[in-house]
């Protein structure tokens, strides 16, 4: 099984682009703000956050530290 870093390196070599995009946004589901908030409501381990590479939002795990 390959790690995330090796997959990102391979994509950057083949397709070019910003490796930070592949690490943070590529392959994730994109939501509008309302949809992301609805998805994360009621689940105390989830949060929604604004994507750095567009005007959309993603849903992910809350950090375990504050």
């Amino acid at each position: 099984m390959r790690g995330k870093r090796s997959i990102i390196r391979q994509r950057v070599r083949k397709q070019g682009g910003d490796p930070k995009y592949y690490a943070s946004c590529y392959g994730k589901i994109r939501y509008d703000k309302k949809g992301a908030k609805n998805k994360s409501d009621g689940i105390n381990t989830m949060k929604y956050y604004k994507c750095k590479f567009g005007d959309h939002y993603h849903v992910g795990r809350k950090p375990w530290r504050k």
Side-chain angles (χ1 to χ4, degrees), residues 29-60:
I29 299 171
R30 297 175 181 186
Y31 297 97
D32 61 343
K33 187 173 184 178
K34 191 176 183 181
K37 185 171 179 2
N38 288 339
K39 181 79 173 177
S40 66
D41 278 350
I43 303 172
N44 61 356
T45 58
M46 292 181 82
K47 70 173 184 108
Y48 68 97
Y49 57 94
K50 178 134 176 28
C51 182
K52 296 177 186 175
F53 296 97
D55 293 335
H56 52 274
Y57 289 78
H58 298 293
V59 177

PDB file of all heavy atoms in Angstrom, residues 29-60:
ATOM      1  N   ILE A  29     -15.176  15.710  -1.084  1.00  0.00           N
ATOM      2  CA  ILE A  29     -16.492  16.183  -1.508  1.00  0.00           C
ATOM      3  C   ILE A  29     -16.581  17.673  -1.221  1.00  0.00           C
ATOM      4  O   ILE A  29     -16.204  18.133  -0.146  1.00  0.00           O
ATOM      5  CB  ILE A  29     -17.607  15.424  -0.772  1.00  0.00           C
ATOM      6  CG1 ILE A  29     -17.517  13.936  -1.099  1.00  0.00           C
ATOM      7  CG2 ILE A  29     -18.977  15.969  -1.152  1.00  0.00           C
ATOM      8  CD1 ILE A  29     -18.435  13.074  -0.269  1.00  0.00           C
ATOM      9  N   ARG A  30     -17.095  18.405  -2.187  1.00  0.00           N
ATOM     10  CA  ARG A  30     -17.225  19.859  -2.044  1.00  0.00           C
ATOM     11  C   ARG A  30     -18.665  20.197  -1.692  1.00  0.00           C
ATOM     12  O   ARG A  30     -19.600  19.688  -2.283  1.00  0.00           O
ATOM     13  CB  ARG A  30     -16.826  20.547  -3.340  1.00  0.00           C
ATOM     14  CG  ARG A  30     -15.389  20.293  -3.672  1.00  0.00           C
ATOM     15  CD  ARG A  30     -15.021  20.853  -5.004  1.00  0.00           C
ATOM     16  NE  ARG A  30     -13.620  20.535  -5.270  1.00  0.00           N
ATOM     17  CZ  ARG A  30     -12.944  20.975  -6.295  1.00  0.00           C
ATOM     18  NH1 ARG A  30     -13.529  21.746  -7.183  1.00  0.00           N
ATOM     19  NH2 ARG A  30     -11.689  20.640  -6.454  1.00  0.00           N
ATOM     20  N   TYR A  31     -18.809  21.081  -0.712  1.00  0.00           N
ATOM     21  CA  TYR A  31     -20.123  21.515  -0.246  1.00  0.00           C
ATOM     22  C   TYR A  31     -20.201  23.030  -0.299  1.00  0.00           C
ATOM     23  O   TYR A  31     -19.176  23.711  -0.281  1.00  0.00           O
ATOM     24  CB  TYR A  31     -20.344  21.116   1.224  1.00  0.00           C
ATOM     25  CG  TYR A  31     -20.347  19.637   1.503  1.00  0.00           C
ATOM     26  CD1 TYR A  31     -19.209  18.998   1.960  1.00  0.00           C
ATOM     27  CD2 TYR A  31     -21.504  18.890   1.347  1.00  0.00           C
ATOM     28  CE1 TYR A  31     -19.219  17.646   2.246  1.00  0.00           C
ATOM     29  CE2 TYR A  31     -21.524  17.538   1.634  1.00  0.00           C
ATOM     30  CZ  TYR A  31     -20.380  16.924   2.080  1.00  0.00           C
ATOM     31  OH  TYR A  31     -20.397  15.591   2.360  1.00  0.00           O
ATOM     32  N   ASP A  32     -21.438  23.551  -0.333  1.00  0.00           N
ATOM     33  CA  ASP A  32     -21.614  24.960  -0.025  1.00  0.00           C
ATOM     34  C   ASP A  32     -21.646  25.059   1.497  1.00  0.00           C
ATOM     35  O   ASP A  32     -21.667  24.046   2.196  1.00  0.00           O
ATOM     36  CB  ASP A  32     -22.874  25.529  -0.680  1.00  0.00           C
ATOM     37  CG  ASP A  32     -24.153  24.856  -0.213  1.00  0.00           C
ATOM     38  OD1 ASP A  32     -24.079  23.760   0.357  1.00  0.00           O
ATOM     39  OD2 ASP A  32     -25.224  25.440  -0.427  1.00  0.00           O
ATOM     40  N   LYS A  33     -21.632  26.265   2.020  1.00  0.00           N
ATOM     41  CA  LYS A  33     -21.538  26.439   3.469  1.00  0.00           C
ATOM     42  C   LYS A  33     -22.704  25.795   4.200  1.00  0.00           C
ATOM     43  O   LYS A  33     -22.529  25.110   5.208  1.00  0.00           O
ATOM     44  CB  LYS A  33     -21.448  27.924   3.820  1.00  0.00           C
ATOM     45  CG  LYS A  33     -21.177  28.160   5.279  1.00  0.00           C
ATOM     46  CD  LYS A  33     -20.924  29.615   5.582  1.00  0.00           C
ATOM     47  CE  LYS A  33     -20.550  29.802   7.028  1.00  0.00           C
ATOM     48  NZ  LYS A  33     -20.250  31.189   7.346  1.00  0.00           N
ATOM     49  N   LYS A  34     -23.904  25.977   3.669  1.00  0.00           N
ATOM     50  CA  LYS A  34     -25.103  25.435   4.315  1.00  0.00           C
ATOM     51  C   LYS A  34     -25.074  23.903   4.314  1.00  0.00           C
ATOM     52  O   LYS A  34     -25.394  23.261   5.315  1.00  0.00           O
ATOM     53  CB  LYS A  34     -26.339  25.946   3.584  1.00  0.00           C
ATOM     54  CG  LYS A  34     -27.632  25.675   4.277  1.00  0.00           C
ATOM     55  CD  LYS A  34     -28.771  26.325   3.510  1.00  0.00           C
ATOM     56  CE  LYS A  34     -30.086  26.129   4.207  1.00  0.00           C
ATOM     57  NZ  LYS A  34     -31.190  26.741   3.465  1.00  0.00           N
ATOM     58  N   GLY A  35     -24.683  23.301   3.212  1.00  0.00           N
ATOM     59  CA  GLY A  35     -24.620  21.849   3.118  1.00  0.00           C
ATOM     60  C   GLY A  35     -23.575  21.259   4.050  1.00  0.00           C
ATOM     61  O   GLY A  35     -23.786  20.225   4.677  1.00  0.00           O
ATOM     62  N   ALA A  36     -22.421  21.923   4.151  1.00  0.00           N
ATOM     63  CA  ALA A  36     -21.366  21.438   5.040  1.00  0.00           C
ATOM     64  C   ALA A  36     -21.787  21.545   6.498  1.00  0.00           C
ATOM     65  O   ALA A  36     -21.529  20.642   7.293  1.00  0.00           O
ATOM     66  CB  ALA A  36     -20.084  22.238   4.804  1.00  0.00           C
ATOM     67  N   LYS A  37     -22.468  22.633   6.839  1.00  0.00           N
ATOM     68  CA  LYS A  37     -22.933  22.802   8.218  1.00  0.00           C
ATOM     69  C   LYS A  37     -23.963  21.734   8.566  1.00  0.00           C
ATOM     70  O   LYS A  37     -23.910  21.130   9.634  1.00  0.00           O
ATOM     71  CB  LYS A  37     -23.517  24.194   8.412  1.00  0.00           C
ATOM     72  CG  LYS A  37     -23.923  24.505   9.832  1.00  0.00           C
ATOM     73  CD  LYS A  37     -24.288  25.958   9.957  1.00  0.00           C
ATOM     74  CE  LYS A  37     -24.744  26.411  11.297  1.00  0.00           C
ATOM     75  NZ  LYS A  37     -24.782  25.543  12.400  1.00  0.00           N
ATOM     76  N   ASN A  38     -24.882  21.464   7.647  1.00  0.00           N
ATOM     77  CA  ASN A  38     -25.899  20.434   7.878  1.00  0.00           C
ATOM     78  C   ASN A  38     -25.268  19.050   8.028  1.00  0.00           C
ATOM     79  O   ASN A  38     -25.706  18.250   8.849  1.00  0.00           O
ATOM     80  CB  ASN A  38     -26.917  20.406   6.744  1.00  0.00           C
ATOM     81  CG  ASN A  38     -27.835  21.602   6.766  1.00  0.00           C
ATOM     82  OD1 ASN A  38     -27.995  22.250   7.792  1.00  0.00           O
ATOM     83  ND2 ASN A  38     -28.411  21.909   5.632  1.00  0.00           N
ATOM     84  N   LYS A  39     -24.250  18.763   7.241  1.00  0.00           N
ATOM     85  CA  LYS A  39     -23.597  17.457   7.301  1.00  0.00           C
ATOM     86  C   LYS A  39     -22.897  17.243   8.642  1.00  0.00           C
ATOM     87  O   LYS A  39     -22.916  16.155   9.197  1.00  0.00           O
ATOM     88  CB  LYS A  39     -22.583  17.347   6.157  1.00  0.00           C
ATOM     89  CG  LYS A  39     -21.860  16.066   6.073  1.00  0.00           C
ATOM     90  CD  LYS A  39     -22.707  15.015   5.429  1.00  0.00           C
ATOM     91  CE  LYS A  39     -21.886  13.777   5.200  1.00  0.00           C
ATOM     92  NZ  LYS A  39     -22.650  12.704   4.649  1.00  0.00           N
ATOM     93  N   SER A  40     -22.278  18.300   9.177  1.00  0.00           N
ATOM     94  CA  SER A  40     -21.512  18.161  10.412  1.00  0.00           C
ATOM     95  C   SER A  40     -22.350  18.362  11.676  1.00  0.00           C
ATOM     96  O   SER A  40     -21.904  18.004  12.763  1.00  0.00           O
ATOM     97  CB  SER A  40     -20.340  19.139  10.426  1.00  0.00           C
ATOM     98  OG  SER A  40     -20.802  20.468  10.464  1.00  0.00           O
ATOM     99  N   ASP A  41     -23.554  18.908  11.551  1.00  0.00           N
ATOM    100  CA  ASP A  41     -24.419  19.096  12.720  1.00  0.00           C
ATOM    101  C   ASP A  41     -24.826  17.757  13.319  1.00  0.00           C
ATOM    102  O   ASP A  41     -25.128  16.808  12.602  1.00  0.00           O
ATOM    103  CB  ASP A  41     -25.680  19.880  12.351  1.00  0.00           C
ATOM    104  CG  ASP A  41     -25.443  21.370  12.329  1.00  0.00           C
ATOM    105  OD1 ASP A  41     -24.371  21.807  12.767  1.00  0.00           O
ATOM    106  OD2 ASP A  41     -26.338  22.099  11.850  1.00  0.00           O
ATOM    107  N   GLY A  42     -24.830  17.693  14.626  1.00  0.00           N
ATOM    108  CA  GLY A  42     -25.261  16.497  15.316  1.00  0.00           C
ATOM    109  C   GLY A  42     -24.174  15.462  15.533  1.00  0.00           C
ATOM    110  O   GLY A  42     -24.370  14.499  16.244  1.00  0.00           O
ATOM    111  N   ILE A  43     -23.029  15.652  14.906  1.00  0.00           N
ATOM    112  CA  ILE A  43     -21.907  14.727  15.087  1.00  0.00           C
ATOM    113  C   ILE A  43     -20.793  15.514  15.763  1.00  0.00           C
ATOM    114  O   ILE A  43     -20.206  16.411  15.162  1.00  0.00           O
ATOM    115  CB  ILE A  43     -21.430  14.147  13.750  1.00  0.00           C
ATOM    116  CG1 ILE A  43     -22.594  13.452  13.047  1.00  0.00           C
ATOM    117  CG2 ILE A  43     -20.282  13.174  13.971  1.00  0.00           C
ATOM    118  CD1 ILE A  43     -22.298  13.008  11.647  1.00  0.00           C
ATOM    119  N   ASN A  44     -20.508  15.202  17.008  1.00  0.00           N
ATOM    120  CA  ASN A  44     -19.594  16.043  17.780  1.00  0.00           C
ATOM    121  C   ASN A  44     -18.133  15.878  17.378  1.00  0.00           C
ATOM    122  O   ASN A  44     -17.287  16.642  17.818  1.00  0.00           O
ATOM    123  CB  ASN A  44     -19.765  15.792  19.276  1.00  0.00           C
ATOM    124  CG  ASN A  44     -19.451  14.370  19.667  1.00  0.00           C
ATOM    125  OD1 ASN A  44     -19.167  13.539  18.821  1.00  0.00           O
ATOM    126  ND2 ASN A  44     -19.518  14.091  20.945  1.00  0.00           N
ATOM    127  N   THR A  45     -17.803  14.916  16.537  1.00  0.00           N
ATOM    128  CA  THR A  45     -16.409  14.744  16.108  1.00  0.00           C
ATOM    129  C   THR A  45     -16.142  15.340  14.731  1.00  0.00           C
ATOM    130  O   THR A  45     -15.032  15.238  14.221  1.00  0.00           O
ATOM    131  CB  THR A  45     -16.031  13.257  16.079  1.00  0.00           C
ATOM    132  OG1 THR A  45     -16.917  12.583  15.195  1.00  0.00           O
ATOM    133  CG2 THR A  45     -16.097  12.649  17.466  1.00  0.00           C
ATOM    134  N   MET A  46     -17.150  15.970  14.119  1.00  0.00           N
ATOM    135  CA  MET A  46     -16.974  16.545  12.785  1.00  0.00           C
ATOM    136  C   MET A  46     -17.053  18.057  12.814  1.00  0.00           C
ATOM    137  O   MET A  46     -17.721  18.638  13.653  1.00  0.00           O
ATOM    138  CB  MET A  46     -18.042  16.007  11.832  1.00  0.00           C
ATOM    139  CG  MET A  46     -17.900  14.555  11.511  1.00  0.00           C
ATOM    140  SD  MET A  46     -19.164  13.989  10.382  1.00  0.00           S
ATOM    141  CE  MET A  46     -18.469  14.494   8.839  1.00  0.00           C
ATOM    142  N   LYS A  47     -16.364  18.663  11.859  1.00  0.00           N
ATOM    143  CA  LYS A  47     -16.439  20.108  11.686  1.00  0.00           C
ATOM    144  C   LYS A  47     -16.402  20.408  10.193  1.00  0.00           C
ATOM    145  O   LYS A  47     -15.975  19.585   9.387  1.00  0.00           O
ATOM    146  CB  LYS A  47     -15.287  20.809  12.383  1.00  0.00           C
ATOM    147  CG  LYS A  47     -13.943  20.577  11.727  1.00  0.00           C
ATOM    148  CD  LYS A  47     -12.875  21.425  12.359  1.00  0.00           C
ATOM    149  CE  LYS A  47     -11.580  21.229  11.603  1.00  0.00           C
ATOM    150  NZ  LYS A  47     -11.193  22.345  10.807  1.00  0.00           N
ATOM    151  N   TYR A  48     -16.868  21.581   9.821  1.00  0.00           N
ATOM    152  CA  TYR A  48     -16.745  22.001   8.432  1.00  0.00           C
ATOM    153  C   TYR A  48     -15.752  23.148   8.370  1.00  0.00           C
ATOM    154  O   TYR A  48     -15.546  23.864   9.339  1.00  0.00           O
ATOM    155  CB  TYR A  48     -18.103  22.385   7.838  1.00  0.00           C
ATOM    156  CG  TYR A  48     -18.729  23.631   8.415  1.00  0.00           C
ATOM    157  CD1 TYR A  48     -18.596  24.854   7.780  1.00  0.00           C
ATOM    158  CD2 TYR A  48     -19.467  23.584   9.588  1.00  0.00           C
ATOM    159  CE1 TYR A  48     -19.166  25.996   8.294  1.00  0.00           C
ATOM    160  CE2 TYR A  48     -20.048  24.712  10.109  1.00  0.00           C
ATOM    161  CZ  TYR A  48     -19.900  25.918   9.460  1.00  0.00           C
ATOM    162  OH  TYR A  48     -20.468  27.046   9.974  1.00  0.00           O
ATOM    163  N   TYR A  49     -15.095  23.273   7.213  1.00  0.00           N
ATOM    164  CA  TYR A  49     -14.081  24.318   7.061  1.00  0.00           C
ATOM    165  C   TYR A  49     -14.025  24.775   5.607  1.00  0.00           C
ATOM    166  O   TYR A  49     -14.378  24.032   4.700  1.00  0.00           O
ATOM    167  CB  TYR A  49     -12.709  23.818   7.520  1.00  0.00           C
ATOM    168  CG  TYR A  49     -12.216  22.585   6.806  1.00  0.00           C
ATOM    169  CD1 TYR A  49     -11.388  22.684   5.698  1.00  0.00           C
ATOM    170  CD2 TYR A  49     -12.591  21.321   7.231  1.00  0.00           C
ATOM    171  CE1 TYR A  49     -10.940  21.559   5.041  1.00  0.00           C
ATOM    172  CE2 TYR A  49     -12.147  20.191   6.589  1.00  0.00           C
ATOM    173  CZ  TYR A  49     -11.318  20.316   5.491  1.00  0.00           C
ATOM    174  OH  TYR A  49     -10.879  19.200   4.832  1.00  0.00           O
ATOM    175  N   LYS A  50     -13.602  26.006   5.413  1.00  0.00           N
ATOM    176  CA  LYS A  50     -13.497  26.592   4.079  1.00  0.00           C
ATOM    177  C   LYS A  50     -12.242  26.076   3.399  1.00  0.00           C
ATOM    178  O   LYS A  50     -11.180  26.002   3.997  1.00  0.00           O
ATOM    179  CB  LYS A  50     -13.429  28.110   4.181  1.00  0.00           C
ATOM    180  CG  LYS A  50     -13.273  28.795   2.844  1.00  0.00           C
ATOM    181  CD  LYS A  50     -14.204  29.945   2.730  1.00  0.00           C
ATOM    182  CE  LYS A  50     -14.052  30.749   1.471  1.00  0.00           C
ATOM    183  NZ  LYS A  50     -13.563  30.086   0.306  1.00  0.00           N
ATOM    184  N   CYS A  51     -12.358  25.728   2.150  1.00  0.00           N
ATOM    185  CA  CYS A  51     -11.215  25.246   1.381  1.00  0.00           C
ATOM    186  C   CYS A  51     -10.306  26.420   1.019  1.00  0.00           C
ATOM    187  O   CYS A  51     -10.773  27.509   0.693  1.00  0.00           O
ATOM    188  CB  CYS A  51     -11.700  24.556   0.114  1.00  0.00           C
ATOM    189  SG  CYS A  51     -10.365  23.890  -0.868  1.00  0.00           S
ATOM    190  N   LYS A  52      -9.014  26.182   1.055  1.00  0.00           N
ATOM    191  CA  LYS A  52      -8.045  27.222   0.709  1.00  0.00           C
ATOM    192  C   LYS A  52      -7.940  27.430  -0.792  1.00  0.00           C
ATOM    193  O   LYS A  52      -7.402  28.428  -1.246  1.00  0.00           O
ATOM    194  CB  LYS A  52      -6.669  26.844   1.242  1.00  0.00           C
ATOM    195  CG  LYS A  52      -6.597  26.762   2.735  1.00  0.00           C
ATOM    196  CD  LYS A  52      -5.234  26.304   3.167  1.00  0.00           C
ATOM    197  CE  LYS A  52      -5.198  26.082   4.661  1.00  0.00           C
ATOM    198  NZ  LYS A  52      -3.934  25.519   5.106  1.00  0.00           N
ATOM    199  N   PHE A  53      -8.446  26.492  -1.590  1.00  0.00           N
ATOM    200  CA  PHE A  53      -8.259  26.527  -3.030  1.00  0.00           C
ATOM    201  C   PHE A  53      -9.524  26.850  -3.806  1.00  0.00           C
ATOM    202  O   PHE A  53      -9.551  26.709  -5.018  1.00  0.00           O
ATOM    203  CB  PHE A  53      -7.690  25.179  -3.501  1.00  0.00           C
ATOM    204  CG  PHE A  53      -6.330  24.908  -2.945  1.00  0.00           C
ATOM    205  CD1 PHE A  53      -6.177  24.127  -1.820  1.00  0.00           C
ATOM    206  CD2 PHE A  53      -5.209  25.451  -3.517  1.00  0.00           C
ATOM    207  CE1 PHE A  53      -4.927  23.876  -1.301  1.00  0.00           C
ATOM    208  CE2 PHE A  53      -3.949  25.216  -3.007  1.00  0.00           C
ATOM    209  CZ  PHE A  53      -3.802  24.430  -1.898  1.00  0.00           C
ATOM    210  N   GLY A  54     -10.575  27.267  -3.146  1.00  0.00           N
ATOM    211  CA  GLY A  54     -11.809  27.599  -3.844  1.00  0.00           C
ATOM    212  C   GLY A  54     -12.825  28.208  -2.905  1.00  0.00           C
ATOM    213  O   GLY A  54     -12.545  28.467  -1.740  1.00  0.00           O
ATOM    214  N   ASP A  55     -14.015  28.398  -3.426  1.00  0.00           N
ATOM    215  CA  ASP A  55     -15.093  29.003  -2.644  1.00  0.00           C
ATOM    216  C   ASP A  55     -16.028  27.953  -2.062  1.00  0.00           C
ATOM    217  O   ASP A  55     -17.194  28.215  -1.817  1.00  0.00           O
ATOM    218  CB  ASP A  55     -15.906  29.961  -3.518  1.00  0.00           C
ATOM    219  CG  ASP A  55     -15.096  31.172  -3.923  1.00  0.00           C
ATOM    220  OD1 ASP A  55     -14.149  31.514  -3.200  1.00  0.00           O
ATOM    221  OD2 ASP A  55     -15.420  31.774  -4.966  1.00  0.00           O
ATOM    222  N   HIS A  56     -15.542  26.759  -1.857  1.00  0.00           N
ATOM    223  CA  HIS A  56     -16.366  25.684  -1.328  1.00  0.00           C
ATOM    224  C   HIS A  56     -15.870  25.270   0.056  1.00  0.00           C
ATOM    225  O   HIS A  56     -14.879  25.786   0.549  1.00  0.00           O
ATOM    226  CB  HIS A  56     -16.353  24.491  -2.291  1.00  0.00           C
ATOM    227  CG  HIS A  56     -14.984  24.057  -2.669  1.00  0.00           C
ATOM    228  ND1 HIS A  56     -14.284  24.615  -3.720  1.00  0.00           N
ATOM    229  CD2 HIS A  56     -14.162  23.144  -2.131  1.00  0.00           C
ATOM    230  CE1 HIS A  56     -13.103  24.048  -3.809  1.00  0.00           C
ATOM    231  NE2 HIS A  56     -12.996  23.155  -2.854  1.00  0.00           N
ATOM    232  N   TYR A  57     -16.595  24.345   0.660  1.00  0.00           N
ATOM    233  CA  TYR A  57     -16.291  23.874   2.013  1.00  0.00           C
ATOM    234  C   TYR A  57     -16.110  22.360   1.995  1.00  0.00           C
ATOM    235  O   TYR A  57     -16.600  21.675   1.097  1.00  0.00           O
ATOM    236  CB  TYR A  57     -17.438  24.234   2.970  1.00  0.00           C
ATOM    237  CG  TYR A  57     -17.510  25.710   3.271  1.00  0.00           C
ATOM    238  CD1 TYR A  57     -18.059  26.600   2.361  1.00  0.00           C
ATOM    239  CD2 TYR A  57     -17.029  26.213   4.466  1.00  0.00           C
ATOM    240  CE1 TYR A  57     -18.115  27.954   2.639  1.00  0.00           C
ATOM    241  CE2 TYR A  57     -17.087  27.565   4.754  1.00  0.00           C
ATOM    242  CZ  TYR A  57     -17.627  28.420   3.829  1.00  0.00           C
ATOM    243  OH  TYR A  57     -17.683  29.757   4.102  1.00  0.00           O
ATOM    244  N   HIS A  58     -15.388  21.853   2.987  1.00  0.00           N
ATOM    245  CA  HIS A  58     -15.213  20.427   3.201  1.00  0.00           C
ATOM    246  C   HIS A  58     -15.655  20.087   4.618  1.00  0.00           C
ATOM    247  O   HIS A  58     -15.727  20.954   5.478  1.00  0.00           O
ATOM    248  CB  HIS A  58     -13.746  20.014   3.055  1.00  0.00           C
ATOM    249  CG  HIS A  58     -13.175  20.251   1.704  1.00  0.00           C
ATOM    250  ND1 HIS A  58     -13.576  19.580   0.590  1.00  0.00           N
ATOM    251  CD2 HIS A  58     -12.208  21.104   1.278  1.00  0.00           C
ATOM    252  CE1 HIS A  58     -12.898  19.989  -0.451  1.00  0.00           C
ATOM    253  NE2 HIS A  58     -12.056  20.924  -0.066  1.00  0.00           N
ATOM    254  N   VAL A  59     -15.922  18.813   4.860  1.00  0.00           N
ATOM    255  CA  VAL A  59     -16.274  18.333   6.186  1.00  0.00           C
ATOM    256  C   VAL A  59     -15.189  17.353   6.615  1.00  0.00           C
ATOM    257  O   VAL A  59     -14.771  16.503   5.842  1.00  0.00           O
ATOM    258  CB  VAL A  59     -17.652  17.630   6.176  1.00  0.00           C
ATOM    259  CG1 VAL A  59     -17.977  17.067   7.534  1.00  0.00           C
ATOM    260  CG2 VAL A  59     -18.730  18.605   5.755  1.00  0.00           C
ATOM    261  N   GLY A  60     -14.709  17.516   7.861  1.00  0.00           N
ATOM    262  CA  GLY A  60     -13.665  16.635   8.345  1.00  0.00           C
ATOM    263  C   GLY A  60     -13.739  16.447   9.841  1.00  0.00           C
ATOM    264  O   GLY A  60     -14.665  16.906  10.504  1.00  0.00           O
TER     265      GLY A  60
END
